[in-house]
Amino acid sequence: MTTAVAAPFRFFSLRVVRTRLLGPSLTRVTFAGPDLRAFHSDGLDQSLSLFLPHPGQAEPAVPVELGEGWWQGWRELPDDVRAVMRSYTLRALRRDDEGHTAEIDVDFVLHGLEPGSGIQAGPAARWAAGAAPGDRVLVLGPAVADNRAIRFRPPRDTDLVVIWADETAVPAACAALEALPAGIRARVWLEVPHAGDVQDVATAADAEVTWLVRDADGGPEDTLTALRDAQLPPAGHPYVWLAGESGRVKQLRRHFVGERGVDRRRVTFVGYWRRGLTEEQLREQG
């Protein structure tokens, strides 16, 4: 006798229902659609693959009808037709009265669109800046609540949670912080480009949250120095979660493991992006 096992990921056809500018560098897009009834996630940093249309397209071009062959079919589409694929983390989900997922939020970093940024905006930032209700996207996301695209997993004995995130990982970090229970101590650093990107985050945890603003006069410009100088509460079983630019993440991991003596098995580090490389270039390297 065999037991059917649900595939952990599937495609969801969704539409934008509303948008909200969170700051100069961040905007929130809320998606909905009947497909979300099959969307299941218990993760706080749930990773998603988002497929976006090119300007002038009514929907993203992904050959989902090819089943497991969709990836090869998608890669073979012309560059100006093939949907733009980007990785994001889920900021929040809301359920209906029957317990099914009704809406999901994804926060986008507006790289290159902030005033005075001096860098070229990518296709996802441009799409998010112009997103409007009714716009269609595809999401490759979780059909199983506990899946391998969830990385924030503090062990049961954790007595201190330490978090660092840059703006690309701030949505996941905020979701994790909001979900921490009362009684747990947390020390959190969230790095954003502008003071206007700072957000209010509610949590039941005994948390100290420090926002590192890169353009602030007299603000901490060197993240490693800020963390190296910080006094952490004494803890027998700390858990560290680091996410953002891969070079910075690796540097901070060396600090916590090598300089602070945190057990490397209790340090989760995730490179969301790499300076100087597009996501397409990262996939080619991988």
Side-chain angles (χ1 to χ4, degrees):
M1 178 179 178
T2 59
T3 301
V5 178
F9 304 99
R10 54 157 284 182
F11 280 102
F12 299 86
S13 179
L14 305 179
R15 291 181 181 269
V16 175
V17 293
R18 59 185 174 275
T19 65
R20 175 189 169 200
L21 190 65
L22 303 177
S25 307
L26 298 166
T27 193
R28 177 166 299 161
V29 181
T30 300
F31 300 96
D35 276 4
L36 279 181
R37 290 177 64 88
F39 186 102
H40 301 286
S41 176
D42 289 338
L44 304 175
D45 62 343
Q46 176 71 61
S47 179
L48 311 168
S49 291
L50 190 62
F51 294 83
L52 305 171
H54 290 279
Q57 291 181 324
E59 59 184 335
V62 181
V64 295
E65 69 278 2
L66 298 179
E68 294 183 358
W70 75 266
W71 171 265
Q72 186 61 36
W74 173 77
R75 291 293 299 268
E76 292 173 354
L77 291 174
D79 291 347
D80 59 348
V81 174
R82 182 175 61 243
V84 174
M85 183 176 80
R86 290 293 184 268
S87 298
Y88 282 90
T89 48
L90 181 69
R91 177 58 180 89
L93 66 78
R94 286 172 292 281
R95 294 183 170 90
D96 60 21
D97 293 340
E98 297 178 351
H100 301 296
T101 303
E103 293 183 342
I104 62 172
D105 293 337
V106 178
D107 290 357
F108 291 77
V109 178
L110 302 177
H111 280 309
L113 297 175
E114 317 99 306
S117 69
I119 62 174
Q120 184 176 359
R126 293 194 298 269
W127 179 88
D135 289 352
R136 299 179 65 177
V137 302
L138 273 175
V139 169
L140 184 59
V144 175
D146 188 0
N147 58 79
R148 65 179 182 273
I150 297 169
R151 301 294 301 278
F152 185 88
R153 297 178 183 269
R156 290 179 178 272
D157 62 353
T158 296
D159 54 3
L160 173 67
V161 173
V162 178
I163 292 173
W164 173 83
D166 69 12
E167 61 269 31
T168 63
V170 160
C174 289
L177 183 57
E178 289 172 351
L180 289 177
I184 187 73
R185 295 172 300 168
R187 186 72 173 89
V188 182
W189 289 268
L190 303 176
E191 183 175 330
V192 291
H194 308 292
D197 297 320
V198 174
Q199 306 170 38
D200 292 327
V201 186
T203 181
D206 177 10
E208 181 180 339
V209 181
T210 301
W211 289 86
L212 306 172
V213 180
R214 290 197 294 271
D215 72 352
D217 292 335
E221 297 177 2
D222 186 335
T223 297
L224 182 58
T225 298
L227 271 65
R228 193 174 267 155
D229 292 345
Q231 294 292 321
L232 294 181
H237 305 285
Y239 172 74
V240 179
W241 183 88
L242 311 166
E245 198 278 322
S246 59
R248 187 70 60 85
V249 164
K250 291 176 182 177
Q251 185 182 43
L252 293 173
R253 178 179 181 266
R254 287 194 296 269
H255 164 67
F256 281 103
V257 174
E259 298 179 28
R260 291 192 183 264
V262 178
D263 185 338
R264 66 181 64 249
R265 295 170 297 183
R266 302 179 70 95
V267 178
T268 298
F269 61 110
V270 190
Y272 280 10
W273 62 289
R274 186 176 303 170
R275 195 174 306 281
L277 294 180
T278 66
E279 188 159 334
E280 287 84 2
Q281 291 168 328
L282 280 173
R283 284 198 298 271
E284 290 173 3
Q285 287 189 359

